Amino acid sequence: MIFFITVLRALAALLITNAHYVGVYPIEIIANGGLLGDVIFFGVSGFCLVNIKQGFFQWYRKRVIRIYPTVWLITTIYILLGFYSLKYWSLAEYYFYPTYYHFVGSIIVLYIAFYVVVKTKVLLNNIPRLMVCLFMIELIIYIFIYDKSTYHIDTVREPMIRFLFFQSMLLGAYFRINKERFMDSNRIMNWVALLLTFIAYFGSKLTFVKFDQLSDYQIINQVILIGLLYFVFKSFAGIDTRLEKLPNKIKGIIAFVSSITLEIYMVQYVIIPKFSTIVFPLNWIVITFVIVLSAYLLHVISQAIIKSIERIINKKSNSRGYTI
């Protein structure tokens, strides 16, 4: 098991959740880091999914089954409790596409493009060049079509963001293919570069937010973010063995958070505003506890449903001579 990926998945969940704690902290700027969490999550997905052995329909069906029952379960619960309204979203939008959860709407589309890359040898062997080509296409759209009047390039529900998410998946795949070069290759310069790109990313973000006259150049923010993601992977891959040697209790906590990242992401939208008015830091403690507990319960129930669906499909598939 490559433990640094477990660490990064847990880290992504923490960053995304922290960014949604608006109204929780006494200083709003602390509630930040969501897009960084998103790209780490997509990078981890690319890393984990690069070794595809199945045909497209079998593989894609498996991915859908691993995501949608959880979406359907939590969406149904929140609709029945009155937290989600049908006034602005239809049932098809809630349950199928794009769903209330932007991650699902993006990943379910990007899975298709990712499969094409993995199964096309010339693309898989030239991921850096492919990423440059994709950026060139994005740049053309950005220059001639994109609305640059205000800073909004990090808005996760805009289609443009999927260029960034897909490039993150490809970068994760690149690290998996070339993991021998990066695993346990710990260098101080990797961490220095990580720190500098981290400062540059959040510095550029704050600059674009504050100075609207610079919004024509906001795509720089995405370029820096991809560089930051590169050094996140490079730095954490370089200490994989050290992470493996962490005390079992700490590793257990990390693995637990990593195992319920999807559920953490889905339950939090309702929970955070419900308890944010409690005085800080009690509100943070209560919200975090309720999110983790709710995510765990959702995980247990949804996994039982997913396993039942997989058993039914496997039974039908085996009778036809193939497996899921």
Side-chain angles (χ1 to χ4, degrees):
M1 181 63 183
I2 301 174
F3 191 67
F4 89 89
I5 285 296
T6 302
V7 174
L8 289 186
R9 187 184 287 113
L11 177 61
L14 296 178
L15 287 170
I16 293 168
T17 304
N18 180 73
H20 293 155
Y21 276 29
V22 175
V24 176
Y25 297 114
I27 302 174
E28 289 300 321
I29 197 172
I30 299 175
N32 219 312
L35 189 57
L36 173 58
D38 284 331
V39 298
I40 291 174
F41 207 101
F42 279 92
V44 167
S45 296
F47 186 96
C48 295
L49 296 174
V50 74
N51 294 319
I52 300 174
K53 305 299 182 182
Q54 299 167 307
F56 172 73
F57 290 107
Q58 288 176 276
W59 179 82
Y60 193 71
R61 180 178 63 187
K62 188 173 184 178
R63 305 269 67 80
V64 168
I65 290 172
R66 293 296 173 89
I67 292 177
Y68 270 101
T70 309
V71 172
W72 296 334
L73 181 58
I74 192 60
T75 300
T76 300
I77 292 171
Y78 280 165
I79 287 177
L80 291 176
L81 292 176
F83 296 131
Y84 289 171
S85 171
L86 297 178
K87 184 177 180 180
Y88 303 107
W89 287 65
S90 68
L91 288 175
E93 289 172 320
Y94 271 125
Y95 282 91
F96 296 100
Y97 187 84
T99 80
Y100 193 78
Y101 316 97
H102 78 84
F103 166 80
V104 176
S106 292
I107 197 74
I108 213 70
V109 171
L110 296 180
Y111 275 150
I112 300 171
F114 187 76
Y115 184 91
V116 171
V117 171
V118 170
K119 289 299 187 179
T120 306
K121 191 173 183 180
V122 66
L123 296 178
L124 189 63
N125 291 339
N126 292 278
I127 285 179
R129 292 187 179 91
L130 175 59
M131 291 177 66
V132 171
C133 290
L134 287 171
F135 179 72
M136 290 297 105
I137 295 171
E138 181 185 13
L139 190 60
I140 292 170
I141 296 172
Y142 176 82
I143 292 171
F144 295 104
I145 301 175
Y146 193 72
D147 174 18
K148 299 181 285 293
S149 60
T150 60
Y151 175 73
H152 61 110
I153 201 164
D154 58 357
T155 303
V156 293
R157 293 194 182 276
E158 290 188 2
M160 188 81 162
I161 201 72
R162 288 176 182 165
F163 280 101
L164 176 64
F165 289 164
F166 189 50
Q167 288 181 335
S168 301
M169 291 182 75
L170 292 176
L171 188 60
Y174 174 79
F175 270 86
R176 180 62 178 271
I177 294 167
N178 300 280
K179 65 180 186 297
E180 290 79 11
R181 290 171 49 191
F182 302 109
M183 296 287 288
D184 297 315
S185 179
N186 188 29
R187 293 183 174 88
I188 187 66
M189 289 308 299
N190 293 339
W191 294 97
V192 172
L194 173 60
L195 177 61
L196 291 177
T197 50
F198 180 85
I199 294 171
Y201 169 65
F202 282 101
S204 68
K205 182 181 175 74
L206 292 174
T207 300
F208 286 125
V209 168
K210 187 173 182 179
F211 300 103
D212 279 343
Q213 61 267 35
L214 298 176
S215 60
D216 282 350
Y217 308 101
Q218 59 190 279
I219 198 168
I220 294 172
N221 191 249
Q222 282 198 1
V223 176
I224 297 173
L225 185 53
I226 284 293
L228 174 54
L229 180 63
Y230 174 83
F231 286 111
V232 165
F233 265 85
K234 194 172 185 181
S235 299
F236 279 85
I239 59 169
D240 184 68
T241 296
R242 294 188 183 187
L243 293 172
E244 285 279 8
K245 293 178 180 178
L246 286 171
N248 288 333
K249 287 185 178 179
I250 295 177
K251 287 178 64 179
I253 293 171
I254 294 171
F256 172 71
V257 174
S258 177
S259 69
I260 60 171
T261 50
L262 179 62
E263 291 82 359
I264 288 174
Y265 167 65
M266 289 183 177
V267 301
Q268 63 188 254
Y269 289 98
V270 167
I271 294 170
I272 293 172
K274 287 296 177 184
F275 297 97
S276 61
T277 54
I278 303 174
V279 65
F280 182 83
L282 183 60
N283 56 355
W284 188 95
I285 296 170
V286 171
I287 289 169
T288 304
F289 174 76
V290 175
I291 285 175
V292 172
L293 178 61
S294 301
Y296 174 70
L297 293 174
L298 177 62
H299 177 77
V300 171
I301 299 170
S302 61
Q303 286 302 304
I305 295 171
I306 290 168
K307 288 178 181 178
S308 296
I309 294 172
E310 289 178 335
R311 278 196 298 268
I312 293 170
I313 294 177
N314 271 327
K315 194 174 293 184
K316 292 182 178 179
S317 299
N318 287 335
S319 66
R320 296 171 185 168
Y322 58 87
T323 58
I324 187 173

